[in-house]
Amino acid sequence: MPTPAVASEFLLIDVNGSAQIRRSGQSQYQPARGGMRLNLGDLVRTQGGAQVRIRCSDLTTTWTMNSNIERGVVWGCPPDGGFSLRVGRQSDNILGGIDPTLPYIVTPRRTVISDPQLVLRWNPVAGASRYTVQVIGSDVTWETEVSGTQVQYPGTPPLTPGVDYRVIVEADTGVSSQLDVGSETATFEVLYPEDLELVAADIAQIREQGFPEETEALAIADIYIRDDLLAEAIEMLEPFVASGTQTLEVYQVLGDIYRYVGLNLLAKARYERAIAIATANEEIQGLADARSGLAEVKVLLEQPEAAIELLMEAQSGYERLNDTERIEELQARIEDLT
């Protein structure tokens, strides 16, 4: 599988009382709230009787910060053991999932999966009543025909961990998922059993700590992302989208994942919702992050002028936060596109 983009990931679990964060490279403090993603070098300060819980970049350890102090997010974390997670860098751009007339694969797509009896899903095609579905690999050829837009793989023939497999869907109208511009990267493989045990143990550790529901989902999604179980990270977070969550990070993370796996229309929708929430709540950082993510989707959709406009708007947000590093990064990207 591809190497993920590098960033230390800390998660602000919950905030009881008044607390603020100051991100590395910025001079402005922002109100802190549960679900915020933090990075190495970020500071948190509490006031009055406030208390904050932070999940470390090892993705399982948490520590509690009490009132009237200021600490770096790493202060209560183990000295080693942090993981690098995919966070929607420019290098994550994958073209695909942009033609609604095709039965392009929705899942599994550029992912590892833990359950060999996985559900296969694809984009519905107008006018199609039947779909022929294949799973193909060096040791497997399986085919079935269905009327809907999903089917469960029965587990036989068995899928071998570490082997690349591909799902191919052809509608009875004649169009195929192979016509999707991202079809070459839309593969999957099965997680090795010993790795699955480690993932299950880490998730159990998260569930034992009594996180708020959505923050728990974000924490578990991080574990899935760490092990390239991206389909399962999506499955963990999408129900909150369906229920109308107002948690900005749910949409931002999903936008990042969809852009990485080559589902650009879905990435666009999630980033646009993140922008709407950040605008309504006047969250400068979240708004700038979502705009820069959406700009990369616009690049993939061959809309460079829209991308540049979004990057300039994001740059303006980072200027308000005095984030010199991000301002310079976006300026370089704008120059690349002009």
Side-chain angles (χ1 to χ4, degrees):
M1 298 300 293
T3 303
V6 174
S8 295
E9 285 285 349
F10 299 79
L11 184 65
L12 208 161
I13 301 302
D14 46 26
V15 178
N16 294 308
S18 177
Q20 295 83 37
I21 65 166
R22 181 164 68 85
R23 297 186 183 274
S24 177
Q26 299 180 6
S27 60
Q28 302 285 337
Y29 280 88
Q30 308 167 52
R33 58 168 176 74
M36 278 185 160
R37 291 177 170 274
L38 306 173
N39 294 309
L40 189 66
D42 292 352
L43 297 176
V44 181
R45 71 180 181 188
T46 53
Q47 297 173 316
Q51 190 177 75
V52 169
R53 279 195 298 170
I54 296 169
R55 190 223 54 206
C56 300
S57 61
D58 67 356
L59 307 188
T60 54
T61 303
T62 61
W63 66 281
T64 300
M65 183 174 172
N66 293 313
S67 59
N68 296 315
I69 56 174
E70 181 176 77
R71 293 283 187 270
V73 293
V74 75
W75 189 83
C77 295
D80 300 306
F83 289 95
S84 296
L85 296 180
R86 189 172 294 110
V87 291
R89 300 290 179 89
Q90 180 191 334
S91 59
D92 289 344
N93 290 356
I94 293 292
L95 184 62
I98 61 172
D99 187 345
T101 69
L102 298 178
Y104 59 76
I105 305 306
V106 174
T107 189
R109 186 183 183 105
R110 207 184 185 200
T111 186
V112 176
I113 55 107
S114 64
D115 184 357
Q117 292 182 274
L118 69 160
V119 175
L120 317 173
R121 297 188 179 91
W122 53 93
N123 183 59
V125 174
S129 59
R130 304 290 295 178
Y131 299 90
T132 301
V133 185
Q134 294 178 299
V135 174
I136 297 174
S138 60
D139 58 349
V140 165
T141 300
W142 175 84
E143 182 175 311
T144 191
E145 185 176 306
V146 296
S147 58
T149 56
Q150 68 176 55
V151 65
Q152 185 172 22
Y153 183 72
T156 54
L159 304 177
T160 304
V163 173
D164 280 343
Y165 296 98
R166 182 181 305 278
V167 180
I168 298 174
V169 176
E170 183 172 345
D172 59 5
T173 57
V175 293
S176 168
S177 61
Q178 290 296 88
L179 297 174
D180 173 30
V181 291
S183 63
E184 286 303 308
T185 61
T187 59
F188 72 97
E189 61 184 62
V190 179
L191 192 67
Y192 287 92
E194 57 270 28
D195 294 329
L196 179 57
E197 291 177 7
L198 295 174
V199 169
D202 286 347
I203 291 174
Q205 189 172 340
I206 291 295
R207 293 194 186 281
E208 290 169 357
Q209 298 185 59
F211 293 177
E213 183 181 15
E214 287 190 3
T215 311
E216 180 182 274
L218 285 165
I220 292 172
D222 280 349
I223 292 170
Y224 287 141
I225 293 168
R226 177 196 67 193
D227 288 278
D228 277 323
L229 293 159
L230 302 181
E232 279 152 277
I234 291 170
E235 187 177 348
M236 175 61 61
L237 296 177
E238 276 293 346
F240 295 99
V241 173
S243 65
T245 181
Q246 296 298 297
T247 301
L248 169 66
E249 286 75 16
V250 170
Y251 298 97
Q252 182 74 40
V253 172
L254 283 168
D256 291 347
I257 295 173
Y258 285 135
R259 177 155 61 89
Y260 180 85
V261 301
L263 289 170
N264 301 145
L265 294 182
L266 281 170
K268 176 178 177 289
R270 298 299 175 265
Y271 284 135
E272 287 175 342
R273 186 60 187 139
I275 287 170
I277 292 171
T279 301
N281 295 334
E282 298 183 345
E283 290 203 31
I284 301 171
Q285 175 82 40
L287 181 57
D289 290 346
R291 280 173 167 164
S292 59
L294 181 58
E296 296 301 334
V297 174
K298 295 292 186 179
V299 172
L300 291 165
L301 297 177
E302 298 183 351
Q303 300 172 17
E305 292 182 0
I308 290 170
E309 182 178 352
L310 283 161
L311 289 168
M312 292 177 67
E313 291 172 344
Q315 200 175 40
S316 177
Y318 293 124
E319 285 172 355
R320 291 178 63 185
L321 298 168
N322 296 317
D323 190 336
T324 305
E325 182 179 355
R326 284 296 286 152
I327 293 168
E328 293 175 352
E329 288 176 353
L330 295 192
Q331 184 59 39
R333 184 60 170 144
I334 290 168
E335 292 171 4
D336 285 343
L337 297 172
T338 54

